[in-house]
Amino acid sequence: MAPSRAGAGAVLPVVVALLLGVVAAAAATGGARKMASHGEGANLKASPGAPAAGGSADQFRGKARLPSFAAPRRYELFLRPDLVACTFSGSVAISVAVSAPTRFLVLNALDLSVNRASIRFQALEPTEVVFFKDDGVLVLGFAKQLPLGEGLLKMDFNGTLNDQMRGFYRSKYQYKGKERNMAVTQFESVDARRCFPCWDEPAFKAKFKLTLEVPSELVALSNMPVANATFAGPIKTVRYQESPPMSTYLVAIVVGLFEYVEGMTTKGTRVRVYTQIGKSNQGKFALDVGVKSLNLYKDYFDTPYPLPKLDMIAIPDFAAGAMENYGLVTYREVALLFDDKSSSASSKQSVAITVAHELAHQWFGNLVTMEWWTHLWLNEGFATWMSHLAVDSFFPQWNIWTQFLDSTTTALRLDSLEASHPIEVEIHHASEVDQIFDAISYDKGASVIRMLQSYLGAERFQKAMASYMKKYAYSNAKTEDLWAVLEKETGEPVKDLMTTWTKQKGYPVINAKIKGNDIEIEQAQFLLDGSSGSGMWIVPVTSGCGAYDTQKKFLLKLKRDKLVIDSQCGDRKKGGNFWTKLNINGTGFYRVKYDDELAAALQNALETKKLSLMDKIGIVDDLYALSIARQQTFASLLRLLYGYRGEADYSVLSHINTVTASIAKVSADAIPALAGDIKQLLIKILLSPAEKLGWDPKKGESHLDVMLRPLLLTALVQLGYGKTINEGVRRFNIFTRDRSTSLLPPDTRKAAYLSVMQNVSSSNRSGYDALRKIYKESAEGEERLQVLGILSSCRDKSIVLESLNLIFTNEVRNQDASMLLRGIQPEAREISWNWLKENWERISRTFSGSLEFTSNEKAAEISKFFATRTKPGFERTLKQSLESVRISARWAEGIRSEPGLAQTVRELLAKP
């Protein structure tokens, strides 16, 4: 499943993560990296499958996982959705293999009304039918022991097409000026049980044969191709081919009015992109990436795509970014659709990455599935890594592996919290599953895979992955199974190495110091709060000395070791070309802290343009984190940043922008008297590349320059640079009169919209009203999200409240509401926090947002407020959020007391 770009529906854990300023918990990452809908289902800690020959149904209450004495082999599922009444009815016949003496069948069901009289196992009627709602479990007790072997379990049921974007739900769309409903499924992680009674755990793979009864004029899609359809007036019955064995969370159904574009892989697999009527042209780019992805993955895994077809479909209301359902991949519209005239370059890249991510899952996740949610990272980490591998192959000019460091640094930030979690995390209840759809499973998972591939070599790694895919096809695997295959294929100690990265949280900082002709290195767990952890890792250390053709690599297995300084590193006494860089190109998941001599040499290497793009990113991100942890000074961070003032690369400047935005916020709180000068310094660093690019696109410019322009313009607006703000307002005013003007193409609109909001107030709201009008009139999802994302970016408190209250109107879809909480400015933090408290009951049922506080007093207030308002699945995110507030407060305290800071700022401002 791909992270949402705009926050998810039913995303309470993200509410606080974004609201209190947890940078990494979103994801997804962007943020908001809540990746799935919530489930209240089965208790999920591993439970023994001991036969239950007697006793009562109550013995199954509160158990972690379903017992294994009975397992499904095949489902025949019939569903009849009513898109007007928003209900559905259905029946299921499940071939169940009973493997041990028992008089019970225990499966999952939630929010369903099951017709007790219809329940039969073979000819047996149950004497007990018990629901444990908190566990999402249905227990069927029979008068005597069930016969061993396969039998058929049948029952009828009905339910509601809900509006929660999980289970079997309804999504609204417009057709010929009228609002209509489509029916959609979203089952990951534990929501298939909301659609039909089933064994709703990944290890219970079974074959599925689906039948749908729907209005004749509608398109009805599922995982497999249609076998046949029969018509009876206004109703048609659609029967689908039987699927190969798959987990319940991958079953998919979509019913509505759609059109499509179509392509074909080299092996003849039909690929389609379905859209609302009139939007199919916007599916062509995703179709091209989809076809190429299937071709590439077939070769990489040396395993053909397993199904006869692949459909991808854009859904108006969708909680995640996308979902990899076998053969029927569902997406938010902004994650699948791209229009050359109305979409931005960053949107194009995002669509490519998202499509490649979901189609990687067709192998890694769907063909070979994690045995349990503890191993979720096998799905999401690999899909994230593979998507970059694919997109780099299709679009090498995008430098996507350099941009991948966004994922690594996002994970490094979250994983430097005491409240982080290991990649492999024990899951004790269904309500916990959604918490691990975060930057650890996705981004740390992908980053340690990149580290391992770099250590083993690309060819050996690929060969081993093909072997793994063949060995576990149509089955389930654990993390240990992957390590075993990699060890067998490569002869390397993969299990010992990787266990240190997947079974413990956190990562090390490598302290590097020159001593004589050696560089002494020592590892210690890095924590952003400045404390020391006890973790130890086997670290694949890479080093470059004076040039990139002198790289070395070795495994650091102990706490300390040393590197010998070779003659090719340059003459230390003469200075000039001497430098040493550890963690070349950021392939390792760790940070490096250099002593003063090594740090000065690296700064010189930066300013004399001797470092790679990836290493430029690595050294600034490490120093930024070390500064937050108060292991390096704030002044040293500013001096390093000044060395980037001539930088022109998108990926590097994207990271610089992240750091400068954080510096501007913390300095406003910590040292308000100096904050204006610091903003001027940050403007000085970013202004040169911004002026070179200007506002207007240039013929033949690169994809990366097209993305860099809005990044820099937006950054300058946020830093209060008057010239950029005035030009943004000027272009916006022309745009409001002529929406087709070339003066404001899609890429630069956000900067102009943000410029307008800088001057908005209750007595000067024309710009705000114009933006609201654009939002209402635009048919483009990307533009609507851009507007939502800046409506709260205002100093006027009444305007901020007006924007926040849009959350409770029909004007904003649930899935998009979190955008309104993302642009809160420091002046409006307090009123927004009060708004949150006053509306908590309504908000806790729906949305997410972003406020960043930097005081221990505020952390205490927040902690007190949530002490009586936690919900299942909420605790970890709350802890991470509160920890981040305290870390920000500690950083601000350190900046406040740092001597000589004003002098450093003045010196840098005075430099040419």
Side-chain angles (χ1 to χ4, degrees):
M1 184 151 42
S4 160
R5 293 170 59 194
V11 287
L12 184 57
V14 185
V15 174
V16 175
L18 290 176
L19 180 76
L20 306 182
V22 176
V23 177
T29 13
R33 308 267 309 192
K34 184 67 181 102
M35 317 293 179
S37 54
H38 283 290
E40 303 159 13
N43 278 324
L44 299 177
K45 190 173 181 180
S47 66
S56 71
D58 205 57
Q59 66 185 296
F60 302 106
R61 181 194 294 272
K63 297 298 181 185
R65 291 170 66 170
L66 296 175
S68 58
F69 51 69
R73 295 289 180 259
R74 182 176 183 271
Y75 292 82
E76 282 203 28
L77 176 62
F78 170 83
L79 289 169
R80 182 190 294 113
D82 184 330
L83 296 175
V84 177
C86 294
T87 59
F88 64 91
S89 57
S91 61
V92 66
I94 311 171
S95 297
V96 180
V98 179
S99 57
T102 181
R103 70 176 191 90
F104 293 102
L105 292 176
V106 186
L107 62 159
N108 296 114
L110 188 62
D111 295 342
L112 295 174
S113 176
V114 176
N115 180 352
R116 177 170 177 160
S118 71
I119 302 174
R120 295 286 187 281
F121 181 67
Q122 301 296 69
L124 301 175
E125 295 183 40
T127 55
E128 299 171 76
V129 179
V130 182
F131 284 93
F132 297 128
K133 184 176 180 182
D134 288 346
D135 304 322
V137 166
L138 168 62
V139 180
L140 306 177
F142 296 85
K144 59 182 181 179
Q145 285 192 16
L146 303 176
L148 298 182
E150 281 199 24
L152 198 62
L153 173 65
K154 295 182 177 181
M155 67 186 82
D156 301 334
F157 54 90
N158 56 67
T160 300
L161 289 173
N162 67 72
D163 61 355
Q164 300 171 43
M165 296 183 286
R166 62 182 178 181
F168 200 14
Y169 73 92
R170 63 185 184 268
S171 175
K172 295 178 180 178
Y173 65 106
Q174 294 283 329
Y175 179 66
K176 293 185 176 178
K178 292 185 178 180
E179 187 173 83
R180 301 182 61 145
N181 292 318
M182 64 177 72
V184 186
T185 56
Q186 170 58 43
F187 290 163
E188 191 177 23
S189 48
V190 290
D191 289 320
R193 65 193 68 181
R194 295 175 187 271
C195 180
F196 60 99
C198 58
W199 275 256
D200 197 14
E201 296 179 3
F204 287 115
K205 283 193 167 184
K207 296 178 179 180
F208 287 82
K209 187 165 178 50
L210 269 66
T211 301
L212 298 179
E213 188 177 287
V214 298
S216 297
E217 76 276 11
L218 299 184
V219 175
L221 302 172
S222 188
N223 306 83
M224 299 297 290
V226 174
N228 62 73
T230 54
F231 292 80
I235 299 296
K236 65 180 176 182
T237 302
V238 185
R239 300 169 188 85
Y240 299 88
Q241 295 177 21
E242 186 169 284
S243 76
M246 65 180 186
S247 304
T248 49
Y249 78 88
L250 295 168
V251 176
I253 297 160
V254 180
V255 181
L257 280 174
F258 306 102
E259 61 185 23
Y260 64 84
V261 288
E262 182 177 278
M264 201 78 71
T265 68
T266 54
K267 291 296 183 181
T269 301
R270 190 198 76 201
V271 182
R272 287 178 177 174
V273 174
Y274 283 86
T275 71
Q276 289 188 53
I277 304 297
K279 292 187 175 182
S280 59
N281 276 341
Q282 296 179 38
K284 288 181 178 178
F285 176 68
L287 176 65
D288 181 57
V289 172
V291 169
K292 288 176 178 175
S293 296
L294 291 186
N295 290 334
L296 184 144
Y297 296 147
K298 166 185 63 70
D299 293 337
Y300 188 89
F301 295 120
D302 194 27
T303 301
Y305 173 67
L307 302 185
K309 60 93 175 176
L310 174 77
D311 294 330
M312 300 188 284
I313 185 164
I315 306 297
D317 298 284
F318 197 74
M323 175 62 209
E324 67 268 18
N325 313 298
Y326 222 173
L328 176 56
V329 185
T330 43
Y331 296 79
R332 276 195 185 198
E333 290 191 326
V334 293
L336 186 67
L337 306 184
F338 173 79
D339 184 272
D340 282 317
K341 293 178 180 177
S342 61
S343 301
S344 66
S346 59
S347 174
K348 184 175 189 177
Q349 184 174 293
S350 177
V351 168
I353 287 284
T354 304
V355 169
H357 179 108
E358 300 311 321
L359 300 200
H361 275 310
Q362 304 301 306
W363 284 262
F364 234 110
N366 299 9
L367 182 61
V368 179
T369 309
M370 66 208 162
E371 188 274 339
W372 182 237
W373 297 107
T374 292
H375 309 285
L376 171 71
W377 84 280
L378 287 176
N379 280 18
E380 300 303 348
F382 266 92
T384 301
W385 181 80
M386 286 298 301
S387 67
H388 286 76
L389 184 87
V391 171
D392 184 58
S393 172
F394 309 150
F395 306 102
Q397 70 277 19
W398 290 2
N399 285 353
I400 208 70
W401 281 117
T402 305
Q403 295 187 57
F404 176 81
L405 292 183
D406 283 338
S407 299
T408 300
T409 55
T410 295
L412 285 168
R413 286 183 195 117
L414 179 56
D415 209 26
S416 55
L417 299 180
E418 178 58 41
S420 183
H421 64 83
I423 284 177
E424 293 183 72
V425 61
E426 287 299 318
I427 299 297
H428 305 296
H429 193 275
S431 62
E432 298 175 7
V433 177
D434 288 346
Q435 291 187 86
I436 63 169
F437 283 81
D438 66 0
I440 302 300
S441 296
Y442 283 70
D443 297 331
K444 182 178 181 180
S447 297
V448 299
I449 291 162
R450 178 175 178 246
M451 178 170 68
L452 179 61
Q453 190 234 22
S454 177
Y455 174 71
L456 296 175
E459 192 173 331
R460 286 203 298 174
F461 185 79
Q462 179 180 354
K463 184 181 177 185
M465 295 315 301
S467 297
Y468 171 80
M469 200 60 57
K470 291 183 175 71
K471 182 172 183 177
Y472 292 99
Y474 301 106
S475 186
N476 297 82
K478 300 179 181 180
T479 301
E480 292 79 7
D481 299 323
L482 176 61
W483 300 156
V485 172
L486 282 161
E487 260 189 27
K488 181 181 177 183
E489 292 289 338
T490 66
E492 297 283 353
V494 175
K495 182 180 178 182
D496 289 346
L497 164 64
M498 295 306 294
T499 295
T500 67
W501 295 96
T502 64
K503 288 191 179 295
Q504 66 178 334
K505 67 184 177 184
Y507 59 88
V509 56
I510 306 295
N511 291 283
K513 300 177 181 177
I514 286 188
K515 190 168 184 180
N517 287 324
D518 297 331
I519 296 176
E520 294 184 343
I521 60 175
E522 179 179 346
Q523 66 162 300
Q525 184 174 355
F526 178 75
L527 291 165
L528 268 180
D529 66 4
S531 64
S532 55
S534 59
M536 279 280 291
W537 288 262
I538 298 177
V539 187
V541 174
T542 54
S543 65
C545 203
Y548 281 91
D549 56 4
T550 60
Q551 287 185 42
K552 295 179 179 179
K553 63 180 178 179
F554 71 97
L555 290 180
L556 175 63
K557 297 181 179 180
L558 305 172
K559 188 169 181 65
R560 299 176 186 85
D561 210 325
K562 62 182 180 181
L563 293 167
V564 176
I565 301 175
D566 296 328
S567 58
Q568 62 260 43
C569 293
D571 191 330
R572 285 170 57 198
K573 294 178 182 177
K574 292 182 180 178
N577 64 342
F578 167 75
W579 56 271
T580 294
K581 171 73 173 65
L582 301 183
N583 195 13
I584 295 295
N585 290 329
T587 54
F589 194 78
Y590 56 91
R591 298 197 183 279
V592 183
K593 180 183 178 183
Y594 299 94
D595 69 11
D596 290 345
E597 183 177 348
L598 290 170
L602 267 180
Q603 175 120 13
N604 183 62
L606 168 71
E607 295 185 358
T608 54
K609 298 182 169 31
K610 292 177 180 174
L611 298 182
S612 69
L613 296 176
M614 291 183 181
D615 283 338
K616 288 179 181 180
I617 293 168
I619 61 172
V620 74
D621 200 73
D622 284 351
L623 189 58
Y624 170 50
L626 290 164
S627 174
I628 294 173
R630 292 171 60 173
Q631 294 182 26
Q632 293 282 25
T633 64
F634 191 61
S636 67
L637 177 59
L638 293 177
R639 281 193 291 268
L640 179 64
L641 277 173
Y642 194 75
Y644 290 83
R645 64 196 179 282
E647 184 56 57
D649 177 76
Y650 166 78
S651 295
V652 177
L653 285 169
S654 176
H655 283 266
I656 297 300
N657 178 52
T658 298
V659 176
T660 57
S662 177
I663 286 173
K665 286 176 183 175
V666 75
S667 59
D669 285 322
I671 41 173
L674 197 55
D677 284 346
I678 288 176
K679 276 191 175 183
Q680 291 307 308
L681 178 60
L682 302 177
I683 290 168
K684 186 177 179 181
I685 293 167
L686 299 174
L687 190 56
S688 175
E691 288 182 335
K692 285 180 182 175
L693 288 172
W695 279 84
D696 297 309
K698 296 173 178 62
K699 190 175 182 180
E701 66 185 350
S702 71
H703 167 82
L704 294 175
D705 277 351
V706 174
M707 292 211 301
L708 179 57
R709 178 177 291 108
L711 177 90
L712 293 173
L713 291 174
T714 301
L716 290 173
V717 172
Q718 289 170 328
L719 289 169
Y721 185 57
K723 187 176 178 182
T724 303
I725 292 172
N726 292 338
E727 181 62 14
V729 171
R730 184 184 77 84
R731 289 172 182 255
F732 177 79
N733 289 334
I734 295 171
F735 177 71
T736 57
R737 296 190 297 270
D738 176 12
R739 298 283 176 87
S740 61
T741 178
S742 61
L743 286 176
L744 206 59
D747 288 289
T748 52
R749 284 177 194 166
K750 180 181 177 182
Y753 296 167
L754 200 59
S755 298
V756 169
M757 288 302 298
Q758 304 312 298
N759 300 315
V760 163
S761 66
S762 300
S763 58
N764 178 29
R765 55 177 293 142
S766 60
Y768 178 78
D769 292 335
L771 282 166
R772 291 277 302 274
K773 188 169 186 281
I774 289 169
Y775 174 79
K776 290 177 182 177
E777 294 176 353
S778 177
E780 303 302 328
E782 182 184 2
E783 181 162 65
R784 288 168 62 84
L785 288 179
Q786 280 193 346
V787 174
L788 281 185
I790 57 89
L791 284 180
S792 301
S793 299
C794 180
R795 296 179 185 86
D796 188 288
K797 295 173 183 178
S798 63
I799 294 288
V800 171
L801 287 177
E802 183 177 341
S803 298
L804 292 178
N805 284 323
L806 289 173
I807 280 177
F808 305 124
T809 71
N810 291 329
E811 197 172 319
V812 178
R813 289 182 186 268
N814 285 5
Q815 67 181 23
D816 299 332
S818 65
M819 295 297 290
L820 284 161
L821 292 100
R822 290 179 180 240
I824 305 292
Q825 296 194 1
E827 296 87 346
R829 283 184 303 202
E830 194 64 36
I831 195 170
S832 300
W833 168 237
N834 291 332
W835 171 86
L836 174 90
K837 290 187 289 183
E838 290 168 8
N839 293 283
W840 177 250
E841 290 307 313
R842 296 172 76 183
I843 294 167
S844 67
R845 294 191 293 268
T846 328
F847 311 117
S848 64
S850 178
L851 293 175
E852 294 188 23
F853 291 110
T854 55
S855 75
N856 287 315
E857 294 78 13
K858 187 56 65 176
E861 181 186 337
I862 293 163
S863 183
K864 182 180 179 181
F865 176 76
F866 284 114
T868 58
R869 292 173 175 85
T870 56
K871 291 188 176 185
F874 185 29
E875 293 83 359
R876 177 181 286 126
T877 304
L878 180 59
K879 286 179 182 176
Q880 291 169 350
S881 303
L882 290 170
E883 185 180 349
S884 291
V885 173
R886 293 185 177 110
I887 286 167
S888 294
R890 182 176 179 272
W891 188 26
E893 287 167 6
I895 293 169
R896 210 171 284 128
S897 60
E898 187 174 316
L901 188 55
Q903 179 65 24
T904 299
V905 173
R906 283 194 294 268
E907 288 174 1
L908 292 173
L909 277 173
K911 277 191 171 186

